Each structure stands twice: as C-alpha cells, then as structure tokens.
Amino acid sequence: MAQLTGKTVIVTGSSRGVGADTAQILAAEGANVVVNYRSKAPRAAKIVTSIEEAGGKAIAVQADVTNTADLQNLVQTAVDTYGSLDYLVLNASGGMESGMGEDYAMRLNRDAQLELARLAAQKMPAGGRIVFVTSHQAHFIREVQTMVEYQPVAESKRAGEDALVAEIPALAQKGISLVIVSADMIEGTVTATLLNRLHPGAIEARRETAGKLYTVNEFAHEVAKMVTAEVESGHVELVGGARGFID
C-alpha cells in the first residue's frame, strides 16, 4: 500500500485489540496514525512506542467518542499534527458495559459513529475513505438472532451502519467513500470471551459453523486492506464469508 505513505488515518478504539493491530499495520505501510483511546493512556502510549520503534509515525489522542468536544479535538489534532486527514477507521464500539445508561449502546455505536464521520469528512480530501468495523451478529441482526446479552450492541451497531450508509450521498459529494467490514466472532476479543463465558461453547459452535474464526491480527489485516481497496462506496466486506448467516 505505497499510497499510504504520508497519508493520515485515525483509528478509533486503537489502544488494544483489533484497533491496535490495525493501527500498527497501517503505520507499517507508511501511514501517519492517530491512536485513539478513551481512558487507557499508558496502553495507547505503548502502541505508539511500538509503531515508532518500527520506524512508523503515530500519536495517541484521548477522546471519548460519545463526547462532541473530544471528537472535534481528535480530528483537529490529526490535521494539526500531520497536515491532513485522509482516512478514518471507525473501530470503537461497545454497549455491554454496566453503569453507562440505557441508551449508551446507541449513543456509542450509532450517534458517535455518524458524528465523527461527519466531522472527519469536513477535513478529508477527495479520495478519502471511512471504514466502519462491525460484526456479522450486528450486520445480520434482522435476519439472524444473536445472544440476548449482545442484542443491544448488535441492534445499535446495525443502526450505526444504516446511518452511515444513509450518509453515502453526502460523502460522495466530497469524493469520500464508505466501506463496511464485518466479521464473525473474533478469537481472543473481550466480547467473544465474555459471551463464551455466559454461553459456554458459543465460540466453538460458531467456529464449527463458520469453518474458521479469525484471530485479532488476522481480522486487523482485513480491516487495513479495506482502507485502500478498490471497491465501490457502500461495499460490505464479509470477512471469511458468512456461513450460518446467509446460507
């Protein structure tokens, strides 16, 4: 991906997991990476250090994506630091946390995603791209039921996807594309581990149905590919296929 050299990308929720690996992959391919975190500054700093030690460029920026002022600062810091904002990877998600309010999942997975996409689009040049990271359990929630504990997350992430898809005409006017990347359960993620604890055997059952479940790093490579993949705006990349969801 030589086209990433000198380009700037924000990866939300990138102090750990898929986001952290995606940030490191994109940095290794030449991008200036903005590592976003909500509260774990030392963890984000460790990702930045790892990128810099490998010869890449990165900064860590604290931002609660449900906070408008934080989002504005996140976008402006990217532009002020590197001179541009070319790509946005919407990886941050959640909704199973306790004590965050009944509407938290929707505020995080729908409202925040759309708001950040709009703020970023104001700064992005033609040719820019927004990548929304989701799950098959969310993407297909209207066709296939999921575990009750994950229902609010799945419904809100699908609502976020729908809101972003509805934004495609406005993005197109600016020459910006949107790509959706969806995966089955990811081996080793906090969400998959928690769901498997609540429903012992859930991961094994999905692995058997899907044929393969991607690891965090394997999925991160697929997300990174979609940043510059030659696909139409609105493309949905079903990583590893979607056995059990569409067939």
Side-chain angles (χ1 to χ4, degrees), residues 6 12 15 19 35 40 45-46 49 54-55 71 81 84 92 101 119 125 134 151 156 177 188 200 204 233:
T12 63
S15 66
V35 175
K40 299 294 192 295
K46 188 174 181 180
T49 297
L71 292 182
T81 303
S84 68
L119 287 169
T134 189
Q151 191 82 16
S156 58
S177 58
E204 184 178 345
S233 188

Side-chain angles (χ1 to χ4, degrees), residues 110-126:
R110 181 193 63 189
D111 302 344
Q113 309 300 318
L114 180 59
E115 182 172 23
L116 180 51
R118 286 174 170 171
L119 287 169
Q122 293 174 10
K123 303 291 186 179
M124 295 169 75

Side-chain angles (χ1 to χ4, degrees), residues 33-227:
V33 179
V34 179
V35 175
N36 160 245
Y37 67 97
R38 186 179 69 179
S39 59
K40 299 294 192 295
R43 199 161 60 190
K46 188 174 181 180
I47 300 302
V48 170
T49 297
S50 176
I51 288 172
E52 291 177 337
E53 288 178 345
K57 295 181 180 179
I59 56 169
V61 179
Q62 188 281 330
D64 178 343
V65 298
T66 66
N67 182 292
T68 296
D70 282 4
L71 292 182
Q72 291 171 335
N73 180 65
L74 176 63
V75 170
Q76 193 58 51
T77 300
V79 174
D80 290 347
T81 303
Y82 295 117
S84 68
L85 174 57
D86 303 281
Y87 305 107
L88 169 65
V89 178
L90 294 169
N91 169 74
S93 67
M96 295 180 69
E97 303 89 339
S98 60
M100 301 297 285
E102 290 185 6
D103 65 340
Y104 180 66
M106 202 63 78
R107 287 192 293 113
L108 173 61
N109 297 324
R110 181 193 63 189
D111 302 344
Q113 309 300 318
L114 180 59
E115 182 172 23
L116 180 51
R118 286 174 170 171
L119 287 169
Q122 293 174 10
K123 303 291 186 179
M124 295 169 75
R129 172 167 290 173
I130 297 170
V131 177
F132 179 65
V133 181
T134 189
S135 67
H136 292 355
Q137 287 77 12
H139 181 70
F140 293 105
I141 189 59
R142 295 181 188 133
E143 293 81 24
V144 181
Q145 286 187 325
T146 189
M147 286 170 271
V148 64
E149 295 86 358
Y150 193 67
Q151 191 82 16
V153 178
E155 291 179 347
S156 58
K157 284 188 71 66
R158 180 64 212 215
E161 179 182 330
D162 291 344
L164 289 166
V165 168
E167 196 74 3
I168 287 176
L171 294 173
Q173 290 183 354
K174 299 175 181 291
I176 299 167
S177 58
L178 170 74
V179 173
I180 295 141
V181 188
S182 179
D184 211 314
M185 281 187 175
I186 303 297
E187 302 267 17
T189 60
V190 173
T191 298
T193 301
L194 176 58
L195 290 173
N196 196 64
R197 189 178 303 146
L198 294 169
H199 299 271
I203 291 178
E204 184 178 345
R206 275 308 309 159
R207 189 185 300 114
E208 184 175 347
T209 298
K212 169 187 170 61
L213 294 182
Y214 279 59
T215 65
V216 167
N217 188 258
E218 286 172 337
F219 182 49
H221 273 90
E222 297 303 316
V223 173
K225 284 178 187 176
M226 287 299 108
V227 170

